[in-house]
Structures are given as structure tokens and as C-alpha cells.
Amino acid sequence: MTMPTEPLYFDAPLCLEFEAEVIETFSLPDGRTGVILPRTYFYPTSGGQEHDTGTIGPAQVIDVYKDDQGRIVHSLSLPLTIGRYPARIDRDRRLRAMQHHTAQHVLTGSFVAVIGLETLSANINGCTPSTIDLDAGQISAPDLARVEAYANQIVFENRTVKSYYVTEAEAAQIPFRKPPAVSGRIRVIEVDGFDYSACGGTHCPQTGMIGLVKILRTERVNQKLRVHFVAGAQALEVFQACHTVMQEISSLLDTGLEGLTEAVRRQQERLKSIEVELEGLRQERLEYEARLLAESARPVERWRLVTAIFPNRPPAELRLLAGKLRAFPGLVSLLASYDGQKLSLVAACAPDSGLDARLLLASHLTPLACRGGGDETLAQGGGPVEQSALSHLFLQTEEYIRQMQPSTG
């Protein structure tokens, strides 16, 4: 009869080196080797917490999980034979998992204690922010700050984190934050006098080992509020990264950290002023360019025609320029831009021209299998074309204009 693997990580989460006894090996569907130990300190993925990694003998432990027989499978990078091997658990990964899982209990308990919000689910990570999902719409910034301060007070008090088992009958006497989802023998994680949870993860023996809990942001996900947070080693990394960025920005703005907010605000105001000025200059430039193009227009029957191709000109700016050309009496214009792959084309017809910009645009785009739309005086479209198509883009423009019937509106 196959026996479940005895989990040793519950009672000794800080034991990171041991002698592993490999009693069974087999090939996994992904081609790696799976091994079974009668007892292990390697934590398998479960309860929202990621698995441990490390080594067994010369092999890297890539994944750890429970199979349907209750055995803990260790997925290895190399085949091993049955025998005994020195095993080592990745200390940094385990510590981060412990810090974040214990921080999740403290933070969840703090949401209950401070603003009465229950946690629906959690995801524990070590190298990316962990999350908890709350049954809430939004939480104000002041309330989040209160919860965070409360949680860190529990951390700084260095409360004992106890782990023990109770029967279902005994569980009725435990003030669980949330009723256990399991039956039978129930494992309790108690943050001394503060939080009681049924949990199968690895935890710090004291809250002080968490170091710090920091809420990063919140977002709405499927009618829930997801709270992203970091703790311990990862919180330090986030602080160091943020501090480095703030120092660099302070240096660029020639101010200290205390004056950074005001310096950025001044820069924003200057930028807005410059943008307004630039937009005015841009409009003046387009007006001037439109006049030059209009002066260069060639006669076609009773109209004047402007055609031009610009490399890599933004379609929005092309449209603005065409809109200004539309104001010149009797002027018909076709402006194109090409970025190496896509053609953008704008047709503009002065209101007194009697021509329809949509028809003029279509006469040039349809042969290229491109599409567009607009109104009688301004139409825009385009699509992917070969660069060779540009050489004959406007060859028949005059003929198209002669064939067009004046619009009757």
C-alpha cells in the first residue's frame, strides 16, 4: 500500500538541510524525473503558497507537489537512483514565502480589526507582490494607511506565531477568523492573541521576522478588491528601488527628497505651459505650410490640385494640414504619409469645389485594397501597401477629378 509522504516542514520551517531518502523514482510527463521521499522538508504548492526549490544530491528540485495518493512528488532536473542524498532547500525562497504568508495572516486580520472587511482569497509569492482579495468596492487611502499601520504594529510587537493541531470538536472552541474549509485534524496558525486561521503553509515563528508589511496598490478584479502587498526581503527591495529612483529624480531636479513633490509640480506646470506654446507654434507652422502648398497647386479644369507624400508623418497631423487646405477656395488636395509599411491618405475638397472627398479618397484606395471614410470635404484612410505603389499613387488623380461629378449635397 502506498503511504502518504510525512511533511516535516510544518513543525520545522527553518530546517533547510537534511538527508533525503529516495525510495521511488519515475518519469514525469514533462520528461523530468520525479522522486518520492518517505518524509520531506520541501514544501509542495498548496493553499496559495508556491513550492520550495533547492537540491537533492546533484539534481535541482524544479517543482514540488502532492499527487492524488497524498505523496509529495519532487520534480528533478536530473535522474536519481534509489538511495540517500544530501538535500538543501533554497533559503531565500523559503524565507520570502514564510514572510509573505505570515504577513498575509497579519494583514488580513488587520483588515478585519480596523475596517471589518473579510478576505475572500489570497495568493502568496516571494519574488513578486502577494495579493489578498477583499469583498469590497473601494477602500479610501486613509483607511488603507490605518490598516497598514495596524498590521505593522503587530509585526513590531514580535508576537509568537504558534502552529498546532485540533480536532473538529476542539475547533469549535477556536475563534477562527474564517471557519475552516477542512474537516478532521485541523492545523491552526495562531498569531498570539490576534489571529486564528486554519492553514497548511510555512510561517515565521515570530511576527518580527516578517520585518515590514507594505501595501503597494489596489485594483478591481471580478467584483472584488485585490490588494497587492510586499513583506520582509521583498519589501526591502521595493524600498531600495524606490529610494534609488527618488534620489536620481531629486538629483535631476536639483532638490532634496523633501522638496521633490513641489519640484515635480513646478515641472508639470512648466510642461503644460510649454505644450500650449508648442501647440500654438504647431498651428502657425501648419498654416504656413498650407499656404505654401496652396500656392504650388496646379490647375485641373476649374479646380486647383495639391498632392504630396511625406515620410513617417503622423496621420493626425496629416489630417490637420488637409483641414487647413480645405479652406482655400477651389482647392482639392491629396496628402499621403508612408512609414515603410502602411499608407495614410487624406483627401480634402474645398466646399465650393463641388467634389466629394470620399469619392476622391476611394478612387485612390480601392485599387490598393485599402479603405477609409469621412465626409464630403475631408476623408481619411489607408492600409498596408508596398513602397513601389507610391510611385504611381497620384498618376491618375487629375483624370479621377475630371471624371467626378460635382456633388449635389
Side-chain angles (χ1 to χ4, degrees), residues 56-79:
I56 297 178
Q60 295 287 328
V61 177
I62 307 300
D63 193 7
V64 188
Y65 60 91
K66 277 189 179 182
D67 65 14
D68 55 9
Q69 302 175 63
R71 304 182 306 171
I72 296 177
V73 179
H74 305 69
S75 175
L76 307 182
S77 62
L78 300 172

Side-chain angles (χ1 to χ4, degrees), residues 217-274:
R217 65 186 179 92
T218 63
E219 63 174 334
R220 290 285 295 161
V221 179
N222 298 328
Q223 308 303 314
K224 299 176 292 187
L225 186 68
R226 179 161 295 171
V227 178
H228 297 251
F229 72 94
V230 289
Q234 190 181 160
L236 176 61
E237 290 171 353
V238 169
F239 171 77
Q240 289 173 329
C242 291
H243 191 261
T244 297
V245 170
M246 290 176 65
Q247 284 184 313
E248 291 174 352
I249 295 174
S250 297
S251 177
L252 290 172
L253 296 178
D254 194 25
T255 185
L257 291 180
E258 68 282 353
L260 187 57
T261 300
E262 184 57 34
V264 171
R265 185 178 292 112
R266 288 196 301 269
Q267 289 292 328
Q268 283 183 317
E269 292 172 354
R270 285 189 60 196
L271 181 59
K272 289 178 182 178
S273 176
I274 291 172

Side-chain angles (χ1 to χ4, degrees), residues 5 20-28 32-37 56 59 61 63 65 71-76 78-82 85:
T5 306
E21 181 186 0
V22 175
I23 59 173
E24 184 179 345
T25 69
F26 46 88
S27 294
L28 296 172
R32 293 197 179 103
T33 296
V35 302
I36 301 296
L37 317 180
I56 297 178
V61 177
D63 193 7
Y65 60 91
R71 304 182 306 171
I72 296 177
V73 179
H74 305 69
S75 175
L76 307 182
L78 300 172
L80 290 182
T81 58
I82 291 174
Y85 300 88

Side-chain angles (χ1 to χ4, degrees), residues 5-15 39-47 49 52 66 70 72 89 94 98 101 161-165 185-189 198-205:
T5 306
E6 180 184 355
L8 303 176
Y9 42 79
F10 285 143
D11 295 326
L14 296 177
C15 180
R39 58 196 64 82
T40 186
Y41 289 94
F42 280 95
Y43 183 83
T45 297
S46 61
Q49 179 178 325
D52 284 326
K66 277 189 179 182
I72 296 177
I89 294 169
R94 168 65 72 82
M98 291 168 59
H101 208 150
V161 180
K162 306 172 186 177
S163 169
Y164 51 90
Y165 290 89
R185 192 164 176 257
I186 299 170
R187 183 170 182 255
V188 181
I189 297 297
C199 183
T202 55
H203 295 81
C204 302

Side-chain angles (χ1 to χ4, degrees), residues 251-313:
S251 177
L252 290 172
L253 296 178
D254 194 25
T255 185
L257 291 180
E258 68 282 353
L260 187 57
T261 300
E262 184 57 34
V264 171
R265 185 178 292 112
R266 288 196 301 269
Q267 289 292 328
Q268 283 183 317
E269 292 172 354
R270 285 189 60 196
L271 181 59
K272 289 178 182 178
S273 176
I274 291 172
E275 286 175 344
V276 171
E277 184 178 350
L278 283 175
E279 181 58 26
L281 292 173
R282 179 186 179 209
Q283 293 296 331
E284 289 181 15
R285 176 176 62 82
L286 288 174
E287 293 280 1
Y288 177 72
E289 186 177 5
R291 285 197 300 273
L292 290 180
L293 286 171
E295 290 171 2
S296 69
R298 61 186 185 273
V300 179
E301 301 292 345
R302 63 185 181 88
W303 303 283
R304 292 184 301 138
L305 174 64
V306 170
T307 58
I309 299 178
F310 305 93
N312 297 310
R313 193 154 194 178

